[in-house]
């Protein structure tokens, strides 16, 4: 189910790249470019932090959904998708966080 949602969202985001900016919020973000998308990701990340600090779990879930969504827009902007992130998480599964981080430092 989760993968289905992410796949459908990925497909929708790809379709929005071709949509007219006045017909879609996402198309408008793509049209404005990376800086506008990054601004939204930053805003949503801040809202996640504030929701967490407030202790409102419902609001935290809502804001996290917004952050994930805008992060997926950013990934799509770069020709990537949630599957790329899932593949990376699968690669890291079972690895010590310290070991994994050190392996990236050598690249």
């Amino acid at each position: 189910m989760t993968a289905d949602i992410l796949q459908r969202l990925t497909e929708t985001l790809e379709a929005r790249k071709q949509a007219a900016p006045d017909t879609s919020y996402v198309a408008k973000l793509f049209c404005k470019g990376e800086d506008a998308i990054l601004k939204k990701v930053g805003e949503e990340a801040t809202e996640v932090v504030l929701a967490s600090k407030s202790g409102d779990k419902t609001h935290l879930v809502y804001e996290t959904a917004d952050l994930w969504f805008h992060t997926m827009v950013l990934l799509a902007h770069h020709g990537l998708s949630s599957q790329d992130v899932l593949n990376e998480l699968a690669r890291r599964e079972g690895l010590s966080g310290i070991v994994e981080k050190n392996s990236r430092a050598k690249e």
Side-chain angles (χ1 to χ4, degrees):
M1 182 172 125
T2 303
D4 292 342
I5 292 168
L6 293 175
Q7 182 58 39
R8 286 192 308 270
L9 182 53
T10 296
E11 291 167 5
T12 299
L13 293 175
E14 283 302 312
R16 295 298 188 266
K17 285 181 177 180
Q18 309 307 318
D22 60 343
T23 64
S24 160
Y25 168 75
V26 172
K28 188 180 295 186
L29 272 178
F30 282 134
C31 183
K32 288 182 177 179
E34 184 176 34
D35 286 347
I37 298 167
L38 290 171
K39 181 178 178 188
K40 284 305 298 179
V41 170
E43 288 172 5
E44 299 303 341
T46 299
E47 290 173 5
V48 165
V49 170
L50 294 174
S52 179
K53 294 295 282 181
S54 77
D56 182 340
K57 292 179 181 181
T58 301
H59 194 172
L60 177 58
V61 168
Y62 178 84
E63 295 301 345
T64 300
D66 284 350
L67 177 59
W68 286 15
F69 175 82
H70 287 91
T71 301
M72 287 185 68
V73 172
L74 179 63
L75 288 169
H77 172 77
H78 287 283
L80 299 167
S81 74
S82 59
Q83 190 59 53
D84 295 298
V85 176
L86 292 173
N87 292 344
E88 176 59 16
L89 290 172
R91 184 190 70 78
R92 294 181 187 187
E93 188 175 14
L95 290 177
S96 156
I98 294 170
V99 170
E100 194 284 325
K101 188 169 182 173
N102 287 341
S103 74
R104 285 186 283 145
K106 296 174 185 173
E107 293 177 358

